Amino acid sequence: MINEIKQDAQARMAKSIEALRHNLVKIRTGRASTGLVDTIRVSAYGSDVPLSQVAAVSVSDARSLVITPWDKSMVGPIEKAILGSDLGLTPNTAGTTIRLNLPALTEERRRELAKVVHGEGEDAKVAIRNIRRDANQQVKDLLKEKQVTEDEVRRAEEDIQKITDKAIKDVDEVVKGKEQELMAV
């Protein structure tokens, strides 16, 4: 029973770290990445769909993305969706190809983005600590129900703490990596 609680906690912490990685992909580093436009939704055929479902997105060089709609009539709606997004990018259209040029980041903007990255990292750490608290509470509930001994509870709490420490260390590494990516000119 205790092993299941520990495995569940470990799996949930891993999901928190993966969610952090996913969130950090959206933060623009001045280097082109197809992940930048993953969250853009385009009004197509009467519903909002992800950009990846109406166009091919590719990186043409370090500072630009190329978006090629599969249907020529989608150029306008894709441009509108990009302008309406919070990316702050202006699409350049040439025929049926849309090009997004990423401007170089200023030092001040890099520092702001580093603070955002730290904030995301802190949110992930809070989520991990909440998972630890839940796991420890489940173990204590087992003790109340007299399904485990106090020694088993103490060992389980130590193991859960080790799992938590490793997860927090992983979060710190992810944040540090993104920060280095941001600060690289």
Side-chain angles (χ1 to χ4, degrees):
M1 192 69 183
I2 287 179
N3 281 337
E4 291 170 15
I5 293 171
K6 289 191 282 190
Q7 287 172 346
D8 178 55
Q10 194 167 16
R12 289 172 55 203
M13 287 179 191
K15 285 180 186 170
S16 294
I17 294 168
E18 202 48 49
L20 170 67
R21 283 193 179 105
H22 183 72
N23 289 344
L24 292 184
V25 165
K26 298 174 197 163
I27 296 177
R28 192 157 58 98
T29 58
R31 186 175 295 126
S33 162
T34 57
L36 286 174
V37 294
D38 282 350
T39 57
I40 295 178
R41 297 188 70 77
V42 179
S43 180
Y45 314 114
S47 63
D48 282 354
V49 295
L51 177 62
S52 60
Q53 290 185 6
V54 293
V57 181
S58 61
V59 177
S60 68
D61 60 55
R63 294 207 185 273
S64 62
L65 289 173
V66 174
I67 300 167
T68 310
W70 291 310
D71 180 357
K72 291 176 187 172
S73 67
M74 291 307 301
V75 173
I78 290 173
E79 282 182 316
K80 186 177 174 185
I82 292 169
L83 288 170
S85 72
D86 59 354
L87 290 177
L89 298 174
T90 306
N92 299 324
T93 308
T96 58
T97 304
I98 301 168
R99 183 175 292 276
L100 292 178
N101 292 318
L102 303 172
L105 295 174
T106 63
E107 188 67 26
E108 184 180 333
R109 182 69 179 139
R110 288 177 197 274
R111 293 194 193 291
E112 286 174 23
L113 289 174
K115 287 179 185 171
V116 171
V117 169
H118 273 286
E120 291 282 345
E122 283 306 312
D123 291 348
K125 287 180 186 178
V126 167
I128 288 168
R129 290 184 193 116
N130 287 340
I131 293 166
R132 174 188 62 192
R133 185 194 62 222
D134 293 347
N136 284 338
Q137 189 58 51
Q138 288 174 333
V139 170
K140 287 176 183 165
D141 290 345
L142 289 177
L143 178 65
K144 283 181 189 170
E145 296 168 9
K146 299 196 182 339
Q147 292 181 354
V148 294
T149 65
E150 287 186 21
D151 287 343
E152 289 174 314
V153 169
R154 198 173 319 105
R155 271 194 300 275
E157 286 177 346
E158 287 172 5
D159 290 346
I160 291 168
Q161 184 59 45
K162 286 177 188 170
I163 293 168
T164 303
D165 291 342
K166 184 188 179 318
I168 291 204
K169 185 177 168 223
D170 290 348
V171 166
D172 287 338
E173 287 174 11
V174 169
V175 167
K176 185 178 176 191
K178 186 66 174 186
E179 210 173 45
Q180 286 174 342
E181 190 181 320
L182 271 171
M183 292 304 173
V185 180

